[in-house]
Amino acid sequence: MSGLRSAVFYQDPKAALAWLEKAFGFELVMLLEDAEGNVAHSQMEFGDSYVMIGQEWSADHKSPKSVGGKNTQTVHIQIDTDLDDHFARAKAAGAVIDAEPQMQFYGDKTYRCRDPEGHIWTVSQTVQAVSREDAEAASGLKITGWR
Amino acid sequence: MSSKVFVALRVKASPERAFTAFVEEIGAWWRPNGLFQTTPRAPGVLAFEPGEGGRLIETLQNGKIFEIGRIVAWEPPARLVFSWRQANFPPDLMTEVEVSFAAVGEETRVSVEHRGFDQVPEGAARHGFPDETLLMRLAEWWQRLLTSYRDTSA
């Protein structure tokens, strides 16, 4: 199937697999471990997509924990319902909250948090339909390709 | 420790039904794979003999029976463990498969963990694959098997 998938690197990928299930409800659908118990490959499913959780397998594949908390990309979680419940669950699992749930001009309620190794995750639920004109007026941005 | 290949999916059935479909209908949902041939012959039909110590057998087209493994744990509807041995394995090599059935709301999460496949030595059963490739192929096969199981039986 064509599509985009992210691989996310951790110092301790097994702990990440457990945490991501507890915090975000991701479900492990594939895991390969070598004879020493190291994670060679894994996939966690959410909705109709998945992320791959792995170890720091080269000098250029690093967890934020290894590079002073820096992120060069974030993975976004889009959900259909109950953003506040999602937030509560993540917080209870120990997510570090960067931004509490709040409404955005484009009609989504969002929050932003960090997992135990410092990966930033954004979470969003569309709660109202906003027209392009209204979004432009609210944000001051010129918007192309609104849907 | 031994290597581990884990795959899981959800089926729209109770754990009881999911367990029954797995063990009683394996002959219908099983999909042989040329990379993981149980015997050098054409694929036959698989069946479990229920209960601990029971065999997982393959009845070949000539009527002969090949024993793939034995049931090590029989705990319906939650758990099943059996040994897995292909004819092209060395005599002392045995791998192990654990199947779990966990209720998730109205559905059941069925997971398979196949342990020890990295011990397969160079030769007919490995196809020259390094560990990671071999385990990935095994995982992909189990994913196809579980998908077939879900769509055919569970």
Side-chain angles (χ1 to χ4, degrees), chain B residues 9-15 17-18 106-110 150 153-154:
Chain B
L9 54 62
R10 289 196 192 190
V11 298
K12 291 188 193 319
S14 65
R17 170 64 201 147
E106 309 259 287
E107 301 181 322
T108 298
R109 186 162 182 245
V110 180
R150 180 192 64 197
S153 296

Side-chain angles (χ1 to χ4, degrees), chain A residues 14 21 27-37 40-41 43, chain B residues 1-8 10 109 118 132 135-136 139 143:
Chain A
K14 278 193 187 165
E21 179 174 352
E27 212 163 280
L28 184 64
V29 294
M30 186 192 276
L31 170 64
L32 307 187
E33 286 179 32
D34 67 18
E36 283 73 50
H41 178 77
Q43 297 174 4
Chain B
M1 287 182 81
S2 67
S3 70
K4 190 165 106 175
V5 159
F6 172 98
V7 300
R10 289 196 192 190
R109 186 162 182 245
D118 62 299
E132 195 167 332
L135 297 182
M136 181 57 98
Q143 277 191 325

Side-chain angles (χ1 to χ4, degrees), chain B residues 9 11-30 46-48 56 74 76-77 80 99 101 108 110 145-154:
Chain B
L9 54 62
V11 298
K12 291 188 193 319
S14 65
E16 287 77 10
R17 170 64 201 147
F19 186 97
T20 301
F22 194 96
V23 297
E24 289 184 10
E25 297 171 28
I26 188 168
W29 60 258
W30 190 258
L46 271 62
F48 282 106
L56 169 59
W74 178 267
L80 169 73
V99 192
F101 305 83
T108 298
V110 180
L145 285 170
L146 282 187
T147 303
S148 168
Y149 152 76
R150 180 192 64 197
D151 297 344
T152 307
S153 296

Side-chain angles (χ1 to χ4, degrees), chain A:
Chain A
M1 274 194 302
S2 302
L4 303 174
R5 283 147 202 158
S6 285
V8 192
F9 310 112
Y10 289 86
Q11 290 182 0
D12 187 347
K14 278 193 187 165
L17 294 175
W19 191 86
L20 291 168
E21 179 174 352
K22 189 174 164 197
F24 299 149
F26 293 178
E27 212 163 280
L28 184 64
V29 294
M30 186 192 276
L31 170 64
L32 307 187
E33 286 179 32
D34 67 18
E36 283 73 50
N38 299 309
V39 174
H41 178 77
S42 78
Q43 297 174 4
M44 294 194 92
E45 211 166 66
F46 183 76
D48 58 3
S49 47
Y50 66 80
V51 289
M52 297 172 277
I53 304 301
Q55 54 193 348
E56 300 177 307
W57 59 275
S58 89
D60 291 334
H61 294 86
K62 291 295 180 191
S63 163
K65 194 176 175 184
S66 301
V67 290
K70 298 288 186 282
N71 280 226
T72 62
Q73 66 165 357
T74 63
V75 181
H76 178 79
I77 305 168
Q78 189 72 30
I79 61 178
D80 293 332
T81 55
D82 305 321
L83 183 111
D84 291 324
D85 291 349
H86 196 280
F87 171 75
R89 178 175 174 168
K91 193 171 179 178
V96 176
I97 307 304
D98 282 4
E100 301 264 337
Q102 54 189 300
M103 274 305 299
Q104 305 295 336
F105 70 88
Y106 46 86
D108 279 20
K109 194 173 191 183
T110 68
Y111 77 92
R112 191 171 71 250
C113 66
R114 290 175 196 248
D115 69 23
E117 293 201 16
H119 291 284
I120 298 170
W121 298 80
T122 55
V123 187
S124 184
Q125 178 194 352
T126 302
V127 292
Q128 70 187 68
V130 176
S131 69
R132 180 171 61 84
E133 292 75 17
D134 287 348
E136 286 186 329
S139 65
L141 300 170
K142 180 179 183 326
I143 298 173
T144 305
W146 189 253
R147 57 175 182 174

